[in-house]
Amino acid sequence: MSYGLLKGKKGIISGALDENSIAWKTAIKAHEEGAQIVLTNAPIAMRMGKINELAEQIGAEIIPADATSVEDLENLYTKSMEVLDGKMDFVLHSIGMSPNIRKGRAYGDLNYDWFLKSIDISALSFHKFMQVGDKLGALNEWGSVVGLSYIAAQKTFPFYTDMADAKAVLESIARSFGYRLGKSKKIRVNTISQSPTMTTAGSGIGGFDSFFDFAEKMSPLGNATGENCADYIVSLFSDLTRMVTMQNLYHDGGYSSTGISEEIIEMMQK
């Protein structure tokens, strides 16, 4: 059911790889709610995914951009304003990658060049999205910028290795830039700590299936799906959340507030 929450709003959604991506689901939901959208992803990710199918489905233009490149982001915002005939009301940062995780390097044996790449892609790109957009005057007053995080920024999950550090930086950037953009343009900046979700990126992490089942048993509402998260993101893009900013918002079925569940106790007693 559509409520017209984003009627007349324009925005950029990054990171839609395939139909399992939260960004993909968010683009569909935002379109249903009346938004005009530009899709973007790194050229290599676009070759791996199905973003052209999504663009055709929602009538969106694709503007490739490496989110670690200021020049690419300047081009992204400039062309987006031309395509959409106006400034952005929302931006979704759904970008994260760790070469150390992909190549099986343990946290105590990190390749530091790869670690810096994890931080650049997964966290500094969030700062670059906002800095470039702000300098170009491409963000409307009372706009909304959302980044996707994970609870490993606060609590230790051994399998998440250097991505946990990257997510901690991401959340810090949301607070620091959220203050700046809030003061200057009433733009709010938030991150969402989502349940473990069966995306292409998530399922590539070692031990993910076991943790997915564990989180499902720990959460009183169960794991939040990608579709659930897309709904939540759309609410943050909308005018209904105008006074929410600089927050890391848990969207995890109650997992983050549960010490232990009855299901886990029962498992341990067997």
Side-chain angles (χ1 to χ4, degrees), residues 191-253:
T191 55
I192 294 174
S193 283
Q194 164 71 359
S195 295
T197 309
M198 290 293 185
T199 62
T200 302
S203 58
I205 297 173
F208 180 84
D209 289 345
S210 296
F211 182 66
F212 182 90
D213 293 339
F214 173 79
E216 178 75 19
K217 290 179 171 61
M218 278 285 288
S219 309
L221 298 181
N223 288 329
T225 66
E227 287 82 0
N228 296 150
C229 191
D231 285 334
Y232 195 35
I233 292 168
V234 165
S235 76
L236 290 173
F237 289 165
S238 79
D239 291 338
L240 297 178
T241 51
R242 276 193 162 196
M243 301 307 290
V244 180
T245 194
M246 300 164 62
Q247 302 299 309
N248 180 57
L249 302 162
Y250 289 102
H251 186 255
D252 59 8

Side-chain angles (χ1 to χ4, degrees), residues 108-260:
D109 186 35
L110 292 181
N111 177 304
Y112 290 121
D113 289 333
W114 296 349
F115 179 47
L116 291 174
K117 185 165 287 190
S118 298
I119 297 291
D120 195 19
I121 294 171
S122 308
L124 289 185
S125 63
F126 192 44
H127 191 286
K128 292 173 185 178
F129 253 100
M130 289 184 279
Q131 178 168 294
V132 172
D134 187 30
K135 285 187 174 182
L136 290 178
L139 304 173
N140 268 327
E141 286 196 355
W142 292 106
S144 175
V145 180
V146 176
L148 295 184
S149 189
Y150 188 57
I151 194 175
Q154 282 83 32
K155 299 182 180 181
T156 299
F157 293 87
F159 59 83
Y160 215 59
T161 70
D162 63 341
M163 275 298 291
D165 300 323
K167 292 301 187 184
V169 174
L170 180 88
E171 292 178 15
S172 179
I173 288 170
R175 291 187 292 271
S176 298
F177 229 125
Y179 179 83
R180 178 183 177 85
L181 290 178
K183 292 289 288 185
S184 64
K185 295 180 181 175
K186 305 299 182 187
I187 294 169
R188 64 244 196 226
V189 182
N190 296 288
T191 55
I192 294 174
S193 283
Q194 164 71 359
S195 295
T197 309
M198 290 293 185
T199 62
T200 302
S203 58
I205 297 173
F208 180 84
D209 289 345
S210 296
F211 182 66
F212 182 90
D213 293 339
F214 173 79
E216 178 75 19
K217 290 179 171 61
M218 278 285 288
S219 309
L221 298 181
N223 288 329
T225 66
E227 287 82 0
N228 296 150
C229 191
D231 285 334
Y232 195 35
I233 292 168
V234 165
S235 76
L236 290 173
F237 289 165
S238 79
D239 291 338
L240 297 178
T241 51
R242 276 193 162 196
M243 301 307 290
V244 180
T245 194
M246 300 164 62
Q247 302 299 309
N248 180 57
L249 302 162
Y250 289 102
H251 186 255
D252 59 8
Y255 175 85
S256 53
S257 294
T258 302
I260 193 167

